[in-house]
Amino acid sequence: MIHRYTGWVVNARWYILILIAGLVAMAGYGIKDLQFKSDYRMFFSDDNPQLTALENLQKTYTRDDNVLLVLTPAKGDVFSPEILTIAQQLTKDLWQTPYSTRVDSLVNFQYSHANGDKVTVEDLVGDITQLTPEDLTRIKLYALQEPLLVNRLVSPNAKVMGFNVVILRPGINQDSETVEVTQYVRKLADTLRAEYPDLDVRITGSILMDTAFAESSELDMRTLTPAMLTIIAVALWFFLRSFWGMVTVLLMMTLAVIATVGMTGWLGIAFSPSSIPAPTILLTLVVANSVHLLTSFYKSVNDGVNPHEAIGNSIAKNFKAIVFCNFTTVIGFLTMNSSESPPFRDLGNITAMGVVITFFLSIVLQPALMAIFPADGRPRWGSNEGWKKFAHFVINYRHYCLIGMTIAVIALATGIRLNTLDDEYVKYFDPSVEFRRDTDYTSDHLTGIYRIDYSLEKNNGDRISDPDFLQRVDAFVQWYRQQPEVTHVFAVTDIFKRLNQNMHSDDPAWYRLPETAEMSAQFLLLYEMSLPYGLDLNDRINVNKSATRVSVTLHSISSQQVLDLEARAQAWLKVNAPNFARHEGTGITLLFAHIGQRNIASMINGLLLAAVIIALTLIAVLRSATLGLLSLVPNVIPSIMVFGVWGMLVGQIGMASSVVVAMTLGILVDDTVHFLTQYQYARNQKGLLPEAAVEYAFSQIGNALWVTSFILILGFAIFALSSFKINQEMGMLTTLIFAVGLLADFVLLPPILLFIEGFKKSAKASSLVEKKAV
């Protein structure tokens, strides 16, 4: 039947080529509708509890996406007249940032002080031309003692200052709005650098993080995909020794990617930094089908078979394996739908769709191309005799192979426990990325970018002016300021203390919370009436003044340290503020701290399901439950060994690691299925003994397995060069897993097969002995 089918394809090859080109063009037309996501929210599903908590907080107060611009003069400190003049002008310029709703800086900080029997609220730095050296000294002393400024807008050593711009994007086209903000701020920074060469200018904040996500995706598309194509082209030319064979595979890859990316656009699936590798991954998967077909085809032609007949032989020989291999690969990638993070679901769905397209092209288009192009291939890297010798080695030393691999697995598996689940979302980016460098500098010299926010209110809904409530909030603030992970705490209680001091002639002894609710309410009303536009307390106090926001800024710490700190805070609140209605922490930092653990937990079920389906597939292919289940072993132990090595050498796994096992399992099975189908063909059709069947399998597909695995390894290794850490980790882990998987298929799978055959033979012999005895 397959030979009749391939005969029809060969005869209709030009019509098929035109038809496929038309279908791919129709699919590729969807590229015009492609979307790209760069908002950090893309990593979280709509029902994520931490995201829900963050959105509730932002509805209560304001959504505070921000840009933080950091200035460091080369000489002196930030309180010189020259730097303060620059700071005043920069504050005005930053108000012109698209979609800005607030600008906080050292110079416009609302300084309240006693003025006779009145309280005056004004900018900390007024008309600089009127300031005396004594005024500058007073401003510096005040700023470096003000808890709302130090480690937030000015460093303790007065060497660095910050300008925080709150951005409220309309959300009509968030990506373009992000670009608008970033372009304006970067242009402003470039102007500063040009005018003041001795001034170091850095930019960070959540808006710049979104920009970094988008730019990392663009960089990967611009560099990794061409690099992958180049490597594959060179490898194909080297291994196949066929220009037209190389052209065939490259054409298959091009059409598969165009169709897949186009269908992604038609289906409305958005690309993101974590799903952008899908087309590049697909390039390597196309090679697997194509190389198996081409090596079999060239082998038949070189043995003197007519090219058209050789096409039928190649399809017939590989059809069953290709069907099951593509099926298991699709299952592996579809398993990623159990991920908690939507970009990984998109990666799985896009790649799975591409594998289906690839399969269709392999059985329809590739035979047509093989009939059109000259059959000039002479595959290298291992003759039949060479593979037979290797098979003899594995057969003769099978016990040593089994024992050696078992010892290696046990030894390396002990390293798994050394892995800790830790993520730092700033470190998703390589140090070569400007956002990463500027953020690291800001964390080292001014303030952290990691933050936990709390919305605190009492059970009975009392106003925040209640003295008991303020005392408990302040106690919570003071507790947090004593924690080693914390660099700054922003709370309204500091404003109440300062106002109380102002109302008592700036007497330091009165720097404490007001004693009555009436005093607190009056002080707050007086202060709010004195604040200028854009600098109100809406980001600190809710509309009905029943809740207040406390923002805790952290040093650069791991996700596990963040979770441990938040657990300690919750324990403190449970004991010391039992009458608080809401006190769960939230914020971007906690979102990313939780997502890794949630992702691993969700992927376990998906991985188990994939393992069951793949095991059933192997049983169906081999028509043997024992052989099918045992054959799964060489595809599981690579992940065990690699994560053990990772624990010993790195010891930290992140969000990407949680999807690697499911993704690689479906691909690893490909080599196993190809080997087993040849083995069973030799046993069942040729009637060979187990040892001879192993030798036959190696001689038939050893070259193809080596070539496809080598290209897979090279292809995924490319991702290790990504500037995006999630893709880096994925690339390194998958590369190692595929390398160990190839070793397992070559030196572990054959001994397992021979062990099973030996066990069956012994069992059969024992049964015969028992029957004779009876």
Side-chain angles (χ1 to χ4, degrees), residues 193-238:
R193 295 185 187 105
E195 292 182 6
Y196 307 100
D198 292 336
L199 196 62
D200 184 81
V201 184
R202 310 281 178 142
I203 316 171
T204 184
S206 62
I207 295 293
L208 272 296
M209 181 170 69
D210 288 350
T211 301
F213 280 132
E215 291 177 343
S216 291
S217 300
E218 181 185 345
L219 180 63
D220 282 357
M221 287 185 67
R222 195 171 63 246
T223 57
L224 299 188
T225 302
M228 175 81 79
L229 280 170
T230 302
I231 288 175
I232 290 176
V234 172
L236 288 170
W237 179 84
F238 177 80

Side-chain angles (χ1 to χ4, degrees), residues 578-596:
N579 59 342
F580 280 13
R582 300 185 314 175
H583 50 69
E584 70 274 9
T586 186
I588 301 173
T589 302
L590 276 175
L591 277 171
F592 280 101
H594 280 284
I595 190 62

